[in-house]
């Protein structure tokens, strides 16, 4: 009898134990598979207002107002009132020749390595340091400049003709086009104190940099991530998210990736490099950057024959366009324009061919004016100002003061490393 009672007790305890384990298992499963916290209606509205504020700060008034149309919260009402006040104080920039355009080359991370390298004098002449660039950005922002991509400035009408389509900004704000040449991280720049490539990360597009002792790190080591970071802190430095144009050649690949089949072969490595470059391009485009052709071989298009221009353009189209996509912007290497001050004529074979390739915006180099532009029904031509060691030296000695409206050269230049 006692034995039977004992067996019954064991069975009951087993049942209880199984139930407890099952309950614990169910609780654990619920905890691990629980859905992420869902935003309340109030949280959604707060997020909508926050995004609407950024859209407003970046001068996209229609988008900002639309997103909070039915929001009657105190913050939304205040923002609507602020937007309405701003819209009544806009200045339209509709003159093609009034858009200043500043361009840079790769930024110097380590001035000591760069200036003492084999190409040290060239780097002093044609590049600026990260420290100099950061100071320039701060002063540009303080002066009220706002970044606008040049491709935004033109559009086609119903007749297929190109027309100028400027932007409107609050009084005191001035549009500025920004570009960077040779965003390729050429082989000759290796071990010279520059970033080695652009990389796509979960925190945005960054640079890979290799120190003198061979240590790799990822961070803000060139123009793209530095501008990204600055606009994140100062949204009103960007017009509707615009940041700038990256001009690419193709002979060493693009963005630091050795993608050129004609130079490196159609190999597994070039295919891997191309895949990585495509990921970076996608991230850049999503974040306000666009692209321009800088020719495939950094070709002087003014001095070259028509045949050479065609050959080079075809090679860019074959090796670079599949990675960066279609672009209507051509930035002339060396600033060597294929036309003179009179503009492009119908008998200009180089222009005819380049236009056939889809180019409508042509950008040269001219530091004689703070801005210059020419608009026709077939193209928009714009002058860019080179911001580099040569231009800063000219500014300091009074030879050319074209940089003065943008920043104070004596305050931004790295005298220590440049020995000025």
């Amino acid at each position: 009898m006692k034995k039977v009672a004992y067996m019954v007790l064991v069975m009951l305890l087993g049942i209880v134990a199984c139930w407890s384990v099952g309950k614990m298992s169910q609780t654990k499963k619920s905890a691990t598979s629980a859905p992420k916290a869902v935003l309340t209606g109030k949280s959604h509205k707060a997020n909508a207002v926050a995004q609407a504020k950024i859209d407003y700060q970046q001068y996209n008034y229609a988008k900002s107002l639309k997103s909070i149309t039915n929001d009657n919260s105190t913050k939304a009402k205040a923002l609507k009132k602020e937007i309405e006040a701003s819209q009544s104080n806009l200045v339209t920039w509709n003159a093609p020749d009034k858009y200043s355009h500043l361009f840079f080359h790769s930024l110097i991370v380590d001035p000591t390595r760069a200036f003492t390298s084999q190409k040290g004098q060239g780097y002093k002449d044609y590049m600026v340091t990260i420290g100099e660039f950061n100071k320039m950005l701060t002063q540009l922002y303080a002066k009220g400049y706002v970044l606008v991509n040049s491709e935004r400035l033109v559009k086609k009408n119903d007749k297929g003709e190109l027309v100028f389509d400027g932007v409107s900004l609050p009084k005191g704000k001035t549009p500025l086009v920004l570009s960077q040449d040779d965003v390729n991280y050429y082989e000759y720049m290796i071990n010279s104190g520059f970033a080695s490539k652009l990389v796509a990360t979960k925190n945005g597009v960054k640079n890979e940099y290799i120190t003198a002792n061979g240590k790799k790190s990822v961070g803000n080591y060139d123009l793209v991530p530095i501008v990204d970071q600055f606009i994140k802190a100062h949204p009103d430095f960007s017009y509707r998210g615009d940041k700038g144009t990256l001009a690419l050649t193709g002979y060493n690949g693009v963005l630091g990736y050795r993608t050129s089949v004609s130079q490196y072969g159609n190999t597994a490595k070039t295919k891997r490099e191309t895949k990585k470059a495509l990921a970076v391009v996608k991230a850049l485009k999503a974040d306000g950057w666009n692209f321009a052709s800088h020719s495939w071989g950094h070709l002087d298009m003014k001095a070259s024959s028509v045949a050479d221009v065609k050959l080079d353009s075809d090679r860019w189209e074959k090796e670079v366009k599949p990675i960066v996509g279609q672009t209507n912007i051509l930035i002339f290497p060396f600033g060597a324009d294929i036309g003179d001050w009179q503009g492009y004529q119908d008998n200009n074979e180089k222009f005819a061919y380049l236009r056939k390739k889809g180019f409508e915006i042509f950008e040269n180099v001219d530091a004689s004016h703070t801005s210059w532009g020419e608009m026709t029904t077939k193209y928009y031509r714009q002058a860019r100002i080179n911001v580099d060691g040569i231009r800063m030296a000219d500014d300091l000695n009074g030879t050319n003061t074209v940089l003065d409206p943008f920043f104070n050269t004596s305050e931004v230049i790295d005298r220590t490393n440049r020995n000025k």
Side-chain angles (χ1 to χ4, degrees):
M1 187 73 178
K2 287 182 179 181
K3 185 176 181 180
V4 173
Y6 174 76
M7 291 178 65
V8 171
L9 179 61
V10 169
M11 289 175 63
L12 289 172
L13 288 173
I15 291 171
V16 172
C18 289
W19 179 84
S20 299
V21 170
K23 193 69 175 177
M24 288 174 65
S25 176
Q26 185 180 16
T27 303
K28 184 177 181 181
K29 183 177 180 181
S30 298
T32 56
S33 62
K36 295 180 180 179
V38 178
L39 291 174
T40 64
K42 188 175 181 180
S43 298
H44 274 301
K45 284 188 175 181
N47 282 355
V49 172
Q51 181 57 52
K53 185 174 182 180
I54 292 176
D55 290 331
Y56 156 63
Q57 289 174 318
Q58 297 192 330
Y59 318 102
N60 198 338
Y61 305 115
K63 182 179 179 182
S64 181
L65 285 173
K66 184 178 180 180
S67 62
I68 55 173
T69 299
N70 300 317
D71 189 341
N72 294 314
S73 66
T74 302
K75 288 185 177 180
K77 288 180 179 179
L79 182 57
K80 290 175 186 176
K81 188 175 181 180
E82 195 173 347
I83 293 172
E84 290 170 0
S86 294
Q87 285 183 303
S88 64
N89 192 35
L90 295 179
V91 175
T92 300
W93 293 77
N94 52 16
D97 62 340
K98 297 302 181 183
Y99 284 76
S100 297
H101 187 152
L102 301 181
F103 85 92
F104 298 80
H105 285 98
S106 295
L107 303 182
I108 299 168
V109 183
D110 185 345
T112 300
R113 290 172 70 192
F115 296 155
T116 59
S117 69
Q118 189 176 7
K119 297 183 180 292
Q121 188 57 52
Y123 296 147
K124 276 189 177 182
D125 288 344
Y126 300 114
M127 274 72 165
V128 302
T129 69
I130 284 180
E132 290 169 336
F133 183 70
N134 280 328
K135 291 177 181 177
M136 292 173 188
L137 280 185
T138 299
Q139 292 198 18
L140 285 168
Y141 177 70
K143 287 176 177 287
Y145 285 100
V146 178
L147 299 184
V148 179
N149 287 347
S150 55
E151 68 178 359
R152 183 185 291 280
L153 303 180
V154 296
K155 65 179 181 180
K156 287 185 177 179
N157 61 19
D158 295 338
K159 297 179 182 179
E161 300 170 330
L162 213 61
V163 294
F164 195 77
D165 188 32
V167 301
S168 296
L169 294 169
K171 188 176 181 180
K173 296 291 186 179
T174 304
L176 176 69
V177 181
L178 176 72
S179 62
Q180 183 180 19
D181 283 5
D182 302 299
V183 191
N184 299 81
Y185 303 98
Y186 297 122
E187 290 180 356
Y188 72 77
M189 298 170 68
I190 296 173
N191 298 322
S192 297
F194 293 90
S196 56
K197 64 177 64 175
L198 284 166
V199 293
T201 77
K202 63 180 181 180
N203 296 316
V205 175
K206 303 292 182 181
N207 290 108
E208 176 190 85
Y209 175 67
I210 304 174
T211 62
N213 60 11
K215 182 180 178 181
K216 290 183 180 180
S217 62
V218 174
N220 302 336
Y221 296 115
D222 202 357
L223 185 144
V224 166
I226 291 174
V227 170
D228 286 345
Q229 184 181 47
F230 192 87
I231 290 176
K232 188 174 182 179
H234 309 283
D236 54 329
F237 188 51
S238 166
Y239 182 83
R240 302 190 179 185
D242 287 359
K243 290 176 179 173
T245 299
L246 308 179
L248 305 182
T249 61
Y251 66 92
N252 267 178
V254 299
L255 308 176
Y257 298 91
R258 305 309 172 207
T259 57
S260 175
V261 171
S262 61
Q263 295 298 295
Y264 305 108
N266 187 13
T267 67
K269 183 177 180 181
T270 53
K271 290 176 181 177
R272 288 195 302 270
E273 292 281 280
T274 297
K275 186 176 181 180
K276 292 175 183 176
L278 283 166
V280 176
V281 167
K282 182 178 180 181
L284 286 167
K285 286 185 174 182
D287 208 21
W289 297 94
N290 63 3
F291 294 90
S293 168
H294 200 41
S295 83
W296 181 87
H298 208 274
L299 184 72
D300 183 334
M301 293 191 172
K302 181 177 182 179
S304 299
S305 66
V306 174
D308 284 343
V309 170
K310 289 182 177 181
L311 181 65
D312 182 273
S313 299
D314 290 348
R315 187 169 287 176
W316 194 93
E317 186 175 55
K318 183 178 180 180
E319 292 194 352
V320 183
K321 182 179 174 181
I323 299 175
V324 302
Q326 178 66 44
T327 176
N328 65 343
I329 306 172
L330 175 62
I331 292 179
F332 292 112
F334 311 105
D337 204 328
I338 56 172
D340 56 25
W341 61 272
Q342 298 180 67
Y344 303 137
Q345 306 301 317
D346 291 337
N347 61 354
N348 187 325
E349 291 184 66
K350 295 176 185 178
F351 167 65
Y353 190 77
L354 293 169
R355 186 164 177 259
K356 181 181 177 182
K357 289 293 184 180
F359 296 113
E360 300 167 328
I361 301 174
F362 298 86
E363 298 177 342
N364 53 37
V365 177
D366 182 356
S368 63
H369 301 83
T370 55
S371 66
W372 180 87
E374 177 195 17
M375 186 74 215
T376 76
T377 57
K378 295 181 179 179
Y379 66 88
Y380 174 45
R381 193 160 58 139
Q382 187 180 56
R384 305 185 304 152
I385 299 171
N386 53 306
V387 184
D388 51 29
I390 291 176
R391 187 60 49 234
M392 289 194 289
D394 286 347
D395 189 78
L396 289 176
N397 62 34
T399 304
N400 185 325
T401 57
V402 71
L403 296 179
D404 286 359
F406 306 105
F407 50 80
N408 187 326
T409 299
S410 64
E411 292 177 358
V412 306
I413 194 167
D414 183 348
R415 294 179 182 274
T416 301
N417 285 295
R418 290 185 180 274
N419 300 317
K420 296 292 185 183

